[in-house]
Amino acid sequence: MYAASSSVSAPPRPLRARPAGGGPYLDPARPAPAPVLGAGRPRRPAGLGTQPLSGRLDLSGPQGAQLRAAIASVHRICPEFAPVQVLRRSGRSVLLVGTTGRSTAVAKCLLDQSPAWAERIRHEIAAYRSFVRHRPPVRVPRLIAADPDNGTLVIERMPGRVAALQRHPVEAPPRADIRAALGAICRLNAWRPPAGTFDAPLDYASRISRYHDLGLLTDRDMGDLQKLLHGIAASAGRQGMGQFCHGDALLSNILLSPAGPVLVDWEHAGWYLPGYDLATLWSVLGDAPVARRQISQIAQSAGPAARDAFLVNLVLVLTREIRTYEMAVQRSMHDPAPTAPGTAHQGAAPSGEEQRLLLRRLHDDCQLARRAVRAAVGTR
């Protein structure tokens, strides 16, 4: 994706041949092959994961008490909310579907009141409040009520189906779905909300140092990324390199409807280096080389500094995914029913074997991105 003397390709793997195209560092004359999950993994029957919502309200037992407390916190800010169903529940939060008058709404209640999670929901509430005054160029749910101090948020329930039920789809979504999602992300990234409306959620220098300290980045990785950051900063003084991003642009956070895509879960929205959302989407499309190639071309069309920013984002996003799924695989060794991080809505979580295959693909992708970074540094 960066104009240099050689294309980037990942080392061959024995599972199956790779289709052409889609690397993060793409020589247009010699497209690089994109790593994909190998054959031999279990394939899900068509339609699995699209079952109706489950989790009718059960207010008995300890979990019922927790649910009653969540409903009470919703009623304090939205007395007309009538809960109907549990949409999603984790150790951190619960999502309830209900009605407010003639409309359908979704209530998000924080269960884990630790500072990190409390800050995330406050950030999400601030984003929805900002959208009341400054409408983004994509469809977002309407804010109904919110209490940042107690971690409670009520928004309208938007019609549509989730673009992907898993964080990393087991099979490539239809091209039309990917095209619609990518179009919405690009429109959002071109938006310039008023100054001071959003902050910068990611400290790049600190994140690189932390991943280096954890052994996830080598000394050379850290040096290369710092060189690119230095060059990006020099360009920023002349061009202004900040870009507004969703911050978690997964297909599982995009609803598709006849009226257009809807973006949800704005916990990480703010200003990033250009290409953060593109890097996030690229990272989860391991089985969609054509889409990856298109994302790479969009990133490289914005100039050298934006291309370098995309590469920095891509390495950090892939490293985060590797760390997250390595922890998931370790847990799966002790858990007979493992779950994957970031599993969306009611989609089935990957099995332990699928997690390992996914982790292998993520490592291949990260090596691909690292080589792209080194080639970009070599042209400076």
Side-chain angles (χ1 to χ4, degrees):
M1 74 127 259
Y2 193 101
S5 57
S6 63
S7 62
V8 172
S9 60
R13 286 165 45 200
L15 293 178
R16 77 177 182 203
R18 303 163 189 249
Y25 175 94
L26 189 65
D27 181 346
R30 297 172 60 193
V36 295
L37 284 173
R41 68 180 175 209
R43 293 285 183 177
R44 299 190 190 283
L48 185 63
T50 59
Q51 64 269 23
L53 298 175
S54 61
R56 288 289 178 181
L57 293 179
D58 179 5
L59 303 181
S60 61
Q63 289 194 343
Q66 200 175 51
L67 206 55
R68 288 195 299 271
I71 293 171
S73 67
V74 175
H75 283 162
R76 281 195 291 270
I77 60 172
C78 187
E80 66 273 23
F81 180 82
V84 175
Q85 204 171 37
V86 174
L87 176 63
R88 184 174 64 197
R89 182 173 189 157
S90 70
R92 297 186 293 267
S93 64
V94 60
L95 266 65
L96 300 167
V97 178
T99 59
T100 54
R102 296 182 179 180
S103 302
T104 308
V106 174
K108 181 176 184 178
C109 305
L110 194 64
L111 302 178
D112 181 351
Q113 295 291 339
S114 61
W117 292 106
E119 177 57 31
R120 282 178 62 166
I121 197 165
R122 281 196 295 267
H123 188 95
E124 185 173 16
I125 289 171
Y128 279 110
R129 285 177 170 172
S130 297
F131 294 153
V132 174
R133 300 185 300 273
H134 311 289
R135 297 296 297 176
V138 296
R139 299 182 69 220
V140 299
R142 176 178 58 88
L143 176 66
I144 297 175
D147 181 359
D149 294 331
N150 288 321
T152 308
L153 170 67
V154 184
I155 56 176
E156 69 172 323
R157 188 184 187 192
M158 302 290 282
R161 59 182 175 81
V162 184
L165 288 168
Q166 291 180 309
R167 184 182 188 91
H168 291 265
V170 175
E171 297 182 3
R175 290 187 181 182
D177 292 358
I178 297 175
R179 185 165 55 248
L182 182 57
I185 290 169
C186 289
R187 289 194 301 275
L188 179 69
N189 294 159
W191 186 45
R192 306 291 293 186
T197 308
F198 293 91
D199 59 9
L202 177 58
D203 183 329
Y204 282 85
S206 296
R207 180 67 60 85
I208 291 170
S209 295
R210 182 158 66 91
Y211 285 167
H212 177 260
D213 292 342
L214 290 171
L216 300 170
L217 296 175
T218 66
D219 292 345
R220 181 173 180 179
D221 291 333
M222 185 169 71
D224 288 343
L225 292 173
Q226 288 173 339
K227 288 175 183 176
L228 290 190
L229 283 180
H230 180 75
I232 294 166
S235 300
R238 300 187 299 271
Q239 303 172 10
M241 288 300 297
Q243 182 183 74
F244 182 77
C245 293
H246 177 276
D248 199 19
L250 305 167
L251 293 173
S252 55
N253 286 333
I254 299 175
L255 305 178
L256 301 176
S257 73
V262 181
L263 272 64
V264 298
D265 288 351
W266 293 85
E267 296 175 348
H268 304 282
W271 294 96
Y272 292 79
L273 292 180
Y276 189 86
D277 282 346
L278 293 177
T280 300
L281 189 60
W282 192 99
S283 73
V284 299
L285 289 175
D287 271 353
V290 173
R292 280 187 160 186
R293 182 166 61 246
Q294 183 181 4
I295 291 170
S296 300
Q297 290 168 346
I298 292 171
Q300 74 174 341
S301 68
R307 293 194 297 261
D308 289 355
F310 172 73
L311 290 177
V312 172
N313 285 321
L314 190 57
V315 170
L316 293 183
V317 167
L318 289 169
T319 303
R320 178 197 65 201
E321 295 296 294
I322 287 171
R323 180 176 183 239
T324 302
Y325 276 89
E326 281 182 341
M327 294 171 63
V329 169
Q330 291 173 2
R331 288 195 299 269
S332 72
M333 295 177 181
H334 308 286
D335 186 351
T339 57
T343 301
H345 306 279
Q346 301 299 316
S351 67
E353 177 62 18
E354 286 176 336
Q355 287 183 8
R356 284 186 284 273
L357 288 171
L358 171 59
L359 189 56
R360 183 176 180 180
R361 192 262 291 169
L362 289 171
H363 276 288
D364 283 353
D365 287 348
C366 200
Q367 286 299 107
L368 190 70
R370 282 168 164 159
R371 289 197 294 272
V373 166
R374 287 167 189 171
V377 170
T379 65
R380 285 195 166 272

